[in-house]
Amino acid sequence: DTEVTQTPKHLVMGMTNKKSLKCEQHMGHRAMYWYKQKAKKPPELMFVYSYEKLSINESVPSRFSPECPNSSLLNLHLHALQPEDSALYLCASSPGPDNQPQHFGDGTRLSIL
Amino acid sequence: GIQVEQSPPDLILQEGANSTLRCNFSDSVNNLQWFHQNPWGQLINLFYIPSGTKQNGRLSATTVATERYSLLYISSSQTTDSGVYFCAAPQTGANNLFFGTGTRLTVIP
């Protein structure tokens, strides 16, 4: 699925850095999601935004801070990450909170040094 | 939350062979999706199939919601079919997907 665009594709950062992951969709979807996927594991939900409001936070550590500036954009701000946070971060969107299917971006592969 | 189980965990096929992947889920669902994750990590939508049967080229899927399972059929497999196949379903009343553990498919020429 290329209708959901994620940048950057790859990111290497130190544990003291601050960086942001970006996700954009222009399908008019009103629900957006962040998932984390470790190697050889399935994706796991982190956050859900519904109509630009945070509706689900799956007990994610505060070093991950999501933001939804408008209905097309979703950011994930990163600060003081740990090596175990290295993973593929996937963004998805769906027409509405109760409407599927979800469409996924290509992901950002994050490495923490 | 809902439990989603997939079988087999690994599958090796000769190019041209057919296969069936299975997904069992522990609770009633109003949505089920099949995805293919290629070796580059891209998660591709294959089917949105809460019930019934759908076909798309060499792939087809069937969901029997009353018996809580879904099947993905791959016919005349090609090397580009290699990757991990996930099924995913939301918990009733929620909009977050729970993914199965996946089936890793390798198609050899």
Side-chain angles (χ1 to χ4, degrees), chain B residues 5-13 18-24 34 70-72 74 83-87 100-106:
Chain B
E5 297 179 349
Q6 292 185 243
S7 60
D10 294 281
L11 185 59
I12 300 175
L13 294 178
N18 304 328
S19 63
T20 301
L21 282 57
R22 187 177 180 102
C23 173
N24 293 331
W34 281 98
S70 183
L71 302 174
L72 178 69
I74 304 174
V84 183
Y85 289 80
F86 290 107
C87 66
T101 50
T103 292
R104 183 173 299 275
L105 175 64
T106 303

Side-chain angles (χ1 to χ4, degrees), chain B residues 62-86:
Chain B
T62 295
T63 296
V64 184
T66 53
E67 297 187 24
R68 301 182 184 175
Y69 73 89
S70 183
L71 302 174
L72 178 69
Y73 306 95
I74 304 174
S75 64
S76 303
S77 58
Q78 301 176 357
T79 55
T80 51
D81 295 331
S82 297
V84 183
Y85 289 80
F86 290 107

Side-chain angles (χ1 to χ4, degrees), chain A residues 31-94:
Chain A
M32 297 185 75
Y33 313 78
W34 280 115
Y35 289 82
K36 174 182 178 179
Q37 186 178 21
K38 300 284 283 183
K40 299 189 185 300
K41 297 289 188 182
E44 293 182 340
L45 183 74
M46 300 174 71
F47 302 104
V48 180
Y49 271 82
S50 177
Y51 296 94
E52 294 122 68
K53 294 189 188 305
L54 183 65
S55 61
I56 294 178
N57 176 342
E58 290 288 347
S59 302
V60 179
S62 60
R63 58 186 184 269
F64 295 91
S65 175
E67 178 197 21
C68 189
N70 60 57
S71 60
S72 300
L73 293 174
L74 185 65
N75 298 321
L76 185 62
H77 302 298
L78 314 174
H79 174 54
L81 295 195
Q82 304 298 308
E84 62 265 27
D85 297 322
S86 297
L88 179 67
Y89 289 84
L90 292 160
C91 173
S93 69
S94 66

